Amino acid sequence: MNGLGDFLEWQKNLSTKIEKINARLLETVYCEQEELYSWARYTIEAGGKRFRPLLTILAYEIGCDRPYESILDLAAGYELIHTASLIHDDIIDNASFRRGLPTLNVKIGVNNAIVVADYLFAKAYELGSRYGPVVSKVMADASTKLAEGQILEAINLGNLSLPEETYLKIIENKTARFFAACALGATIAAGAPENVRKNLTDFAYNLGMAFQITDDILDIVGDQKKIGKPVLTDIRHSAITLPIIVALRNASSAKRKVLTDALRGAQDMIEPDLLRSVFIETNAIDYSFDMARKYTEKAMESLRGTGKSPDLNLLMELAMIVIERIEAMS
Ligand code: GRG
């Protein structure tokens, strides 16, 4: 296993599905207003891993025998909400790069970027509504939690005594519940039995927790070229993530000062390697990695009793890849 290679291999196995997701996304955002269409297309064609729609499709296939084409609208809907929330996030953070390309706020300005994200939200809910009120509510609740997570994070920016539980609440709302909603919406649409719904939803939730923790680790030790966005952005924005909480807790007073100065805005005057050394020496990376691994194990555990199928194997592989990407991308 070598992480990045495994991920590319995993994606290759799913390339037909990814192509269909991309086609559905483009069809969905088509409109007569040329600029709106081209800007929406820009964000979609910028790519992304398509984890959420793939999770939706695999959960659906595990939940019923019908062809996955019938869940493509829901899969695309989730990806559109995710993309719209990233546009808003980039506006909030004044970010310049995403998915290896200039962000929409840089390319077309903040005002237009807000409207493109609103447009994607509207299209997403229309797609979700095709599956009836129960699935629509699952989708809407996931967006509500996204907003809650974002605000909980925002009001705690620079809070050097942020408890680990609050961090976990933030990432639960920002990421894990959204992953869980993909699986829940898909298995409800599939008419899957209750135990399958629960197992897949638990799997997705735990995978989401592991995914966000690894994202926060990669923000510190990741290679900018490999992850397609700048690193050390959490420190730059004073966002307190798990590795930062642990480093603050364990650092000597001299090293703590390096980190607190950086969190208070002096980051550009501090050597990135010195900053990274604080995380390594305090075991903050190892601690966070262990936590991510525990969530991955819980995710795998959740799938026990769901039977055996090629799609289940793909989900198991995905869980492993989430953890292995740290090695591959740093
Ligand atoms: C949804 C109502 C509503 C408001 C939006 C701005 C905001 C509120 C939420 C943003 C939450 C946020 C930034 C979550 C980050 C989740 C995350 C792990 C993003 C990166 O996901 P990847 O790595 O991205 O799957 P790609 O580019 O591969 O799709």
Side-chain angles (χ1 to χ4, degrees), residues 47-52 79 81-82 85-86 88-89 92 98-99 121 125 143-144 146-147 150 174-175 211-212 215 229 325:
K49 293 179 282 301
R50 307 293 193 233
F51 268 2
R52 295 155 188 81
E79 181 66 12
I81 295 179
H82 165 62
S85 75
L86 294 184
H88 280 177
D89 195 49
I92 294 165
R98 164 81 65 183
R99 295 171 167 173
F121 278 129
Y125 294 115
S143 295
T144 303
L146 264 185
Q150 177 69 20
K174 260 178 53 173
T175 307
F211 184 79
Q212 185 61 60
D215 221 52
K229 57 183 181 180
R325 72 192 179 123

Side-chain angles (χ1 to χ4, degrees), residues 126-285:
E126 194 278 312
L127 289 177
S129 74
R130 297 179 188 183
Y131 296 85
V134 179
V135 173
S136 284
K137 182 170 171 8
V138 170
M139 195 178 232
D141 288 348
S143 295
T144 303
K145 290 295 165 189
L146 264 185
E148 283 183 28
Q150 177 69 20
I151 296 296
L152 189 57
E153 181 177 85
I155 61 173
N156 279 294
L157 291 178
N159 175 2
L160 302 185
S161 45
L162 185 77
E164 227 174 272
E165 306 82 74
T166 311
Y167 163 80
L168 292 174
K169 191 79 201 158
I170 292 170
I171 69 166
E172 174 184 318
N173 286 336
K174 260 178 53 173
T175 307
R177 280 176 178 268
F178 199 84
F179 274 48
C182 293
L184 181 59
T187 49
I188 292 173
E194 184 53 41
N195 72 314
V196 174
R197 282 185 203 182
K198 185 179 178 333
N199 291 354
L200 285 165
T201 306
D202 288 352
F203 167 82
Y205 173 90
N206 287 302
L207 182 72
M209 293 297 282
F211 184 79
Q212 185 61 60
I213 295 171
T214 55
D215 221 52
D216 294 342
I217 297 173
L218 281 173
D219 190 64
I220 293 161
V221 298
D223 177 329
Q224 180 162 327
K225 285 202 198 84
K226 292 182 188 166
I227 61 176
K229 57 183 181 180
V231 289
L232 298 173
T233 55
D234 292 327
I235 295 178
R236 191 168 297 122
H237 296 122
S238 314
I240 312 297
T241 60
L242 185 61
I244 297 174
I245 293 172
V246 180
L248 286 170
R249 191 159 67 207
N250 295 349
S252 63
S253 57
K255 287 285 163 82
R256 195 174 200 276
K257 184 167 173 357
V258 171
L259 183 51
T260 52
D261 283 352
L263 285 164
R264 288 184 178 130
Q267 194 213 348
D268 292 337
M269 282 141 66
I270 296 170
E271 259 296 296
D273 284 343
L274 174 62
L275 204 46
R276 285 198 188 91
S277 74
V278 179
F279 290 93
I280 310 289
E281 284 169 26
T282 52
N283 273 334
I285 301 300

